[in-house]
Amino acid sequence: MPAVPQIDPTSGAAPEVQPSIPLASTNVTPAFDPANVLVVYILGGPGSGKGTQSTHLVQDYGFKHLSAGDLLREEQDRQGSEYGQMIKDYIKDGKIVPMEVTVKLLQNAMQAELDSGKKTRFLIDGFPRKMDQAVYFEQSVCPSQCTIFLDCPEDVMLKRLLNRGKTSGRSDDNEESIKKRFRTFVETSMPVVDMFEKEDKVVKADATGSQNDVYERLVGQLAQRNIHPVK
Ligand SMILES: Nc1ncnc2c1ncn2[C@@H]1O[C@H](COP(=O)(O)OP(=O)(O)OP(=O)(O)O)[C@@H](O)[C@H]1O
Ligand SMILES: O=c1ccn([C@@H]2O[C@H](COP(=O)(O)O)[C@@H](O)[C@H]2O)c(=O)[nH]1
Ligand SMILES: [Mg+2]
């Protein structure tokens, strides 16, 4: 397996990939072999419960949870990061940070986990959020097994996020940023879910109701995809 490059502090990173390139037409060998590494994405609108359900899934399915948003916030706060201010501005505005940064952070985190001989099942939360990220990651990092999609109406998500905003300290848990995030989700992220849906790779669950209700639905859906708890 090739070594995973660090984020290049001078120039940035991975080559640009045009989103229009069809997945099947390329010959790139991914960095991680899907025979040895399981990647499941968890997507859904802001506040749909991705982080919450990830906590449950990690406990029962032996996943290593990697939240793209958390990794970006860590990078934003890392002393000396040349991307800090850019990430801060993008997050507050609900925009998608250029994929070179996010993919590198994810790839490095996966490599670190594999190097330490720990988990080989990755639950990637809140990624891919844009078509270029999806195409690049699937081709060059690791093809996913499936995408969990948490389906939740905006009024429910808004209520949850405003409630979370009372204590989260997140710069984007305010009404103005939330509206922008909803828009980005519909315009930029849903096409990714739709693409995976066409490939029959989406496990969709109604994300309304209690956390436990949602989780039970997810467990049932995952079983149908032959993904089972490890204990
Ligand atoms: N089923 C649920 N019912 C009520 N509240 C919930 C439910 N699931 C999650 N929450 C709460 O809603 C808020 C948002 O949940 P969570 O952080 O898991 O969402 P998310 O999809 O990861 O959001 P983001 O995209 O902003 O990171 C949290 O305060 C969480 O406790
Ligand atoms: O692939 C990604 C994932 C996230 N972002 C940015 O981070 C924020 C917060 O993400 P959460 O998943 O809600 O924690 C998101 O609104 C984007 O601005 C990103 O750019 N790319
Ligand atoms: Mg989250």
Side-chain angles (χ1 to χ4, degrees), residues 71-222:
L71 289 170
L72 286 166
R73 282 182 284 272
E74 270 170 37
E75 178 65 20
Q76 171 197 292
D77 295 338
R78 189 175 61 80
Q79 197 129 37
S81 169
E82 71 159 301
Y83 303 109
Q85 189 58 49
M86 177 193 69
I87 294 172
K88 200 171 184 179
D89 295 342
Y90 272 75
I91 287 183
K92 182 130 196 273
D93 235 12
K95 290 194 301 201
I96 306 303
V97 172
M99 71 145 185
E100 290 81 357
V101 175
T102 315
V103 169
K104 279 284 181 275
L105 291 170
L106 282 168
Q107 195 171 344
N108 290 345
M110 289 173 74
Q111 188 68 62
E113 184 71 15
L114 293 169
D115 286 347
S116 67
K118 292 185 190 158
K119 295 180 176 158
T120 58
R121 296 177 144 206
F122 294 94
L123 181 62
I124 302 190
D125 169 353
F127 176 95
R129 286 249 234 306
K130 197 172 172 184
M131 200 62 92
D132 64 345
Q133 297 175 333
V135 172
Y136 183 80
F137 196 92
E138 291 282 308
Q139 284 177 349
S140 304
V141 181
C142 191
S144 61
Q145 169 130 347
C146 67
T147 295
I148 295 170
F149 173 56
L150 297 178
D151 190 18
C152 199
E154 282 189 4
D155 59 333
V156 175
M157 297 193 289
L158 177 63
K159 210 167 144 195
R160 289 180 186 173
L161 290 176
L162 290 175
N163 193 41
R164 187 179 71 182
K166 290 177 196 162
T167 54
S168 69
R170 277 181 56 158
S171 64
D172 56 352
D173 275 351
N174 58 79
E175 195 143 1
E176 193 186 342
S177 294
I178 291 167
K179 292 275 159 66
K180 291 179 179 171
R181 291 159 70 197
F182 284 169
R183 184 169 210 185
T184 299
F185 176 70
V186 171
E187 292 177 355
T188 309
S189 306
M190 264 318 282
V192 174
V193 178
D194 294 340
M195 175 186 74
F196 288 132
E197 179 87 63
K198 284 192 190 113
E199 296 171 6
D200 192 27
K201 283 172 71 175
V202 175
V203 172
K204 181 172 167 177
D206 174 359
T208 61
S210 73
Q211 290 184 23
N212 286 343
D213 288 346
V214 178
Y215 187 59
E216 272 179 29
R217 288 177 205 134
L218 271 184
V219 170
Q221 293 283 334
L222 287 169

